[in-house]
């Protein structure tokens, strides 16, 4: 069985074609600059990458190009689109939809009705689904939501201490994001330590361009750092994470900012970029800090301290922890970040083998805990696309 996984952003569209008999990616790629030019990179294992500048007016053009490349006599990996059995779509925000589901008109109507709370990621995801429906009529499609895994949170975790009517009127509450990744790595960690997920207390740290930390208590999420939007929690590449909410109205008044301009400050000009003044990319921030840039050092210190704070708070909430794990771009690759977060956490049972942390293999599940540590600290590579493909397979089978 072959499943196409689509992750549509506002000007980009990522795709992966899976052969599910072998859980293997047979082609993947990225369409970029949709609506503002157009470019594509198409990859197949063991073969040269294909790159081209090509006009992509909209998501329909991008999907048409993806299907053309997948079936091309030279660049393709299948003979015809009929060989694709189903399509899985990554959708950041599912609102009240709590599980992966087959796309129907009513699912699409609901997703359209919640773009207000998902303005950045909702519209492009819907465009990606519509483009696929148009290009592959009748093909089963599944939506996999980043919010689903967090739907087990108790009300005391998801409610904000605002007038309750805003929750009732506008569904203002914590939803949490990166759920597909947190779910995948929590399961992988349980497999790795050979203990059922239902018997473990796990803290999953998904740290990348966007970052979130989740407390998984006996297989169920009880709290997560991101909130109504993927803004709350840790400082990120360009997002500020949690701040005193009154800063927002104060700055709007001081700088005469409109709500959209303020959103821009919070989402695109803050975080590592805003603090360091150097870059939103962790590698650049480390390089600047190593060269003596004090603001870059400060940005790293803030990120590390906030990660410690959230991990500590979840240990308190769960009354313990068996596994703390790191995943995503920073979590999997940034050894110095992992070491800094885990340093001086031995009171809580967290202690890593710093030498092994610096030399352990990349791209594999590894245990970086010190031999006598009470808590196991793991690095687990995430694979959100495989999780989406597996959910799609389960639903269409
Ligand atoms: P996204 O949230 O866009 O999927 P990723 O999970 O790919 O992002 O994470 C991107 C982040 O990972 C960037 O800040 C990047 O600098 C960081 N990163 C990737 N490789 C390394 C590395 N070797 N060392 C430190 N940081 C890294």
């Amino acid at each position: 069985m072959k499943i196409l996984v689509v992750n549509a952003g506002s000007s980009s569209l990522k795709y992966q074609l899976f052969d599910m008999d072998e859980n293997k990616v047979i082609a993947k790629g990225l369409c970029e600059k949709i609506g503002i030019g157009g470019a594509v990179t198409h990859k197949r294992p063991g073969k040269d990458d294909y790159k081209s500048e090509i006009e992509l007016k909209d998501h329909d053009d991008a999907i048409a190009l993806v299907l053309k490349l997948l079936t091309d006599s030279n660049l393709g990996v299948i003979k015809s689109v009929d060989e694709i059995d189903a399509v899985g779509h990554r959708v950041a925000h599912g609102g009240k939809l709590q599980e992966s589901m087959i796309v129907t008109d009513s699912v699409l109507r609901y997703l359209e009705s919640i773009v207000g709370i998902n303005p950045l990621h909702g519209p492009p995801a819907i465009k990606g689904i519509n483009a696929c429906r148009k290009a592959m009529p009748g093909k089963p499609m599944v939506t996999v939501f980043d919010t689903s895994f967090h739907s087990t949170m108790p009300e005391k975790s998801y409610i904000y201490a605002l007038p309750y009517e805003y929750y009732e009127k506008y569904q203002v509450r914590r939803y949490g994001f990166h759920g597909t990744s947190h779910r995948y790595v929590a399961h992988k960690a349980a497999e790795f330590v050979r203990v059922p997920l239902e018997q473990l207390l796990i803290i999953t740290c998904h740290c990348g361009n966007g970052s979130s930390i989740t407390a998984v208590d006996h297989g169920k999420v009880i709290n997560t750092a991101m909130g109504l939007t993927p803004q709350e929690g840790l400082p990120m590449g360009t997002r500020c994470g949690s701040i005193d909410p009154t800063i927002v109205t104060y700055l709007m008044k001081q700088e005469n900012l409109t709500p959209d301009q303020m959103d821009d400050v919070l989402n695109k000009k803050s975080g590592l970029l805003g603090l360091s003044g150097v870059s939103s990319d962790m590698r650049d921030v480390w390089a600047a800090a190593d060269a003596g840039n004090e603001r870059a050092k400060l940005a790293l210190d803030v990120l590390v301290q906030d990660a410690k704070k959230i991990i500590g708070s979840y240990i308190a909430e769960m009354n313990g922890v068996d596994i703390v794990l790191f995943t995503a771009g920073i979590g999997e690759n940034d050894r110095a970040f992992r070491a800094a977060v885990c340093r001086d956490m031995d009171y809580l049972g967290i202690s890593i083998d710093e030498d092994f942390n610096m030399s352990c293999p990349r791209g594999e599940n590894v245990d970086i805990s010190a031999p006598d540590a009470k808590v196991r600290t793991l690095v687990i590579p995430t694979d959100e696309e495989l999780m989406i493909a597996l959910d799609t397979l389960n639903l269409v089978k």
Side-chain angles (χ1 to χ4, degrees):
M1 197 172 202
K2 296 201 175 58
I3 289 178
L4 178 65
V5 172
V6 173
N7 181 355
S10 57
S11 65
S12 70
L13 187 144
K14 291 186 202 152
Y15 61 94
Q16 293 198 6
L17 184 63
F18 281 84
D19 181 341
M20 297 311 289
D21 301 324
E22 305 191 26
N23 268 1
K24 208 172 68 182
V25 177
I26 52 174
K28 66 177 180 179
L30 168 68
C31 298
E32 291 174 281
K33 301 185 198 162
I34 300 170
I36 45 170
V40 68
T41 308
H42 177 67
K43 302 180 177 201
R44 295 153 301 157
K47 305 236 170 96
D48 288 343
D49 293 353
Y50 168 79
K51 288 184 183 206
S52 168
E53 305 262 317
I54 178 166
E55 192 189 358
L56 298 171
K57 287 192 302 296
D58 51 26
H59 289 70
D60 288 356
D61 276 3
I63 284 296
L65 175 64
V66 170
L67 297 180
K68 190 160 165 268
L69 287 169
L70 290 173
T71 54
D72 184 85
S73 54
N74 285 322
L75 301 166
V77 289
I78 49 175
K79 288 203 177 64
S80 121
V81 173
D82 293 342
E83 286 182 50
I84 301 174
D85 296 285
V87 184
H89 293 271
R90 179 189 181 195
V91 179
H93 212 313
K96 68 172 188 195
L97 304 179
Q98 300 189 342
E99 283 174 1
S100 301
M101 54 185 59
I102 301 272
V103 177
T104 60
D105 290 341
S106 75
V107 167
L108 270 173
R109 272 197 303 275
Y110 176 72
L111 293 180
E112 275 156 11
S113 76
I114 59 163
V115 292
I117 51 171
N118 185 24
L120 293 181
H121 302 106
I126 293 167
K127 280 186 197 162
I129 296 171
N130 281 329
C132 285
R133 289 183 113 195
K134 218 151 115 190
M136 294 172 274
K139 188 88 56 196
M141 311 246 165
V142 167
T143 48
V144 179
F145 306 112
D146 277 9
T147 47
S148 301
F149 188 48
H150 304 301
S151 63
T152 49
M153 266 187 292
E155 192 173 17
K156 65 181 176 189
S157 297
Y158 71 66
I159 205 76
Y160 291 108
L162 289 165
Y164 197 78
E165 68 193 82
Y166 296 136
Y167 167 60
E168 293 174 312
K169 258 185 10 203
Y170 307 118
Q171 293 78 54
V172 171
R173 51 158 284 179
R174 177 183 315 285
Y175 289 95
F177 295 87
H178 295 136
T180 313
S181 173
H182 290 291
R183 175 162 57 114
Y184 180 81
V185 292
H187 278 93
K188 281 281 154 197
E191 262 172 53
F192 183 74
V193 300
R194 297 166 193 258
V195 178
L197 184 61
E198 296 69 30
Q199 292 175 18
L200 289 165
L201 303 175
I202 307 182
I203 296 176
T204 51
C205 307
H206 175 114
C207 301
N209 226 347
S211 298
S212 64
I213 301 183
T214 294
V216 188
D217 186 334
H218 298 95
K220 292 204 161 94
V221 171
I222 57 139
N223 215 335
T224 189
M226 282 180 167
L228 173 74
T229 70
Q231 169 66 278
E232 196 180 344
L234 293 168
M236 308 176 212
T238 59
R239 292 175 233 160
C240 63
S242 296
I243 57 170
D244 178 343
T246 307
I247 295 171
V248 175
T249 43
Y250 177 69
L251 286 183
M252 286 175 78
K253 288 178 201 156
Q254 292 299 310
E255 298 264 316
N256 255 330
L257 298 174
T258 63
D260 283 348
Q261 288 170 325
M262 190 67 223
D263 269 350
D264 231 42
V265 171
L266 300 172
N267 278 301
K268 299 190 180 149
K269 298 183 179 160
S270 300
L272 291 177
L273 174 68
L275 264 180
S276 70
V278 173
S279 169
S280 62
D281 190 292
M282 199 60 176
R283 285 162 291 198
D284 300 338
V285 180
W286 274 113
D290 289 343
N293 182 316
E294 290 300 326
R295 273 178 49 193
K297 283 188 202 161
L298 178 64
L300 294 168
D301 285 348
V302 172
L303 175 59
V304 166
Q305 173 171 282
D306 282 2
K308 280 172 172 284
K309 250 164 48 178
I310 296 172
I311 293 170
S313 71
Y314 290 165
I315 295 175
E317 262 186 66
M318 294 195 289
N319 189 20
V321 66
D322 300 306
I323 295 171
V324 171
L325 73 83
F326 292 91
T327 194
I330 296 172
E332 289 168 35
N333 298 300
D334 193 333
R335 300 165 191 274
F337 169 76
R338 293 196 302 254
V341 171
C342 296
R343 203 162 288 140
D344 299 329
M345 296 275 266
D346 44 316
Y347 182 80
L348 296 175
I350 299 168
S351 159
I352 66 167
D353 178 335
E354 292 219 10
D355 291 336
F356 183 60
N357 174 53
M358 294 313 281
S359 62
C360 63
R362 272 183 220 269
E364 288 177 25
N365 302 328
V366 283
D367 185 341
I368 56 169
S369 333
D372 56 347
K374 202 162 73 183
V375 175
R376 293 182 77 173
T377 304
L378 309 180
V379 182
I380 306 278
T382 192
D383 195 340
E384 290 163 284
E385 285 78 13
L386 176 60
M387 192 84 248
I388 294 171
L390 289 168
D391 275 11
T392 305
L393 178 71
N394 284 336
L395 279 163
V396 300
K397 232 178 9 193

